[in-house]
Amino acid sequence: MSESGPETVAQRNHAAPSLMPGRHSIAAVVPCHNEEASVAKVVTDLKAAVPGIVVYVYDNLSTDATAEKARAAGAIVRAERAKGKGNVVRRAFADIEADIYLMIDGDDTYEASAAPAMIETLLSGPYDHVLGVRKQDENGSAYRAGHETGNRVLNGVVGKVFGENVEDMLSGFRVFSRRFVKSFPAVSREFEIETELTVHSLHLRVPQTAVPVGFRDRPAGSESKLRTYHDGFKILALIVGLARHERPVAFYGLLGTVSWLISVVLTVPIVIEYYDTHTVPRFPTLFLACTLLLVGFLAWTAGLILDGIRRSRHEASRLIYLRYEAPGAGTQPAATEDDRPDPVAGDIR
């Protein structure tokens, strides 16, 4: 997304049109683990940016004063005893009822002033998912060493696997419609939740877009919970697992094809030797080659069967998604007689 002129991300977001209070119920979900240094500011900034928003702070096994600080700032504080951001999001999406859901980290690294622009974008689309793409200042250091590179690599992997361009898969600042949230089968436990949200939007092919948001350093006294390599490998493992579930023909077909190629490489020398000597001295190798040939057929068969199951699962997910109205649909004026199309020949009223 290109920048136009010297205007910063924060200035552009402040210039976004204000929301009309009362049109929609808006809930903010703020997962927190030991964020006493920043959570109060996140809550107050959200309330100032979006009048009427209800902020839910989910205290995830904090050992500091996170809950007290959030409650004092005006948030509804709830506790999630299963450790991990994914567990928090699953609990929040199940328990909270709203028209629009906003998810933001409690570490005050995202500019809450972007929230109105993101919500207006969701409604004007209408979209079901608006991703906040992190844009830090030229001299900023909000990205830890390796995180930006890792994020780009993971974005590229997901883009290749699912055939869609992904700008900032690991962003923790997003806005969702009700029908996205209530059709999202959250199964991740920790920081893989952002990947799962992205993949859900891709396989369901929901209307979505991205908005640039400011990204800054954590406040003093706040420490990141991310572990670059540990969490990176967990996210990569999740992507492999999702590719196996979402692209079974490609996944198992690749395994089957590799198995066939190895089988051919092992079989060719045996066939050549047989034509020369009319003997097969390497029976173990021949047995291995035949086994790999069968494994290849089994892999392709499994991929085709699982692809049919995947299609049925997606159809079921789509039907659940369609049970809910599009964002802002409840505020649209009802159709009148003048809006109805003229009858055509053969039309039965």
Side-chain angles (χ1 to χ4, degrees), residues 134-156:
R134 291 171 288 185
K135 302 291 183 182
Q136 67 176 352
D137 297 334
E138 292 183 2
N139 299 322
S141 58
Y143 273 114
R144 288 169 55 189
H147 280 193
E148 186 172 10
T149 301
N151 191 22
R152 288 176 180 173
V153 170
L154 293 173
N155 289 340

Side-chain angles (χ1 to χ4, degrees), residues 119-131:
I119 295 170
E120 287 290 349
T121 299
L122 183 92
L123 294 171
S124 63
Y127 296 103
D128 289 303
H129 177 214
V130 176
L131 175 67

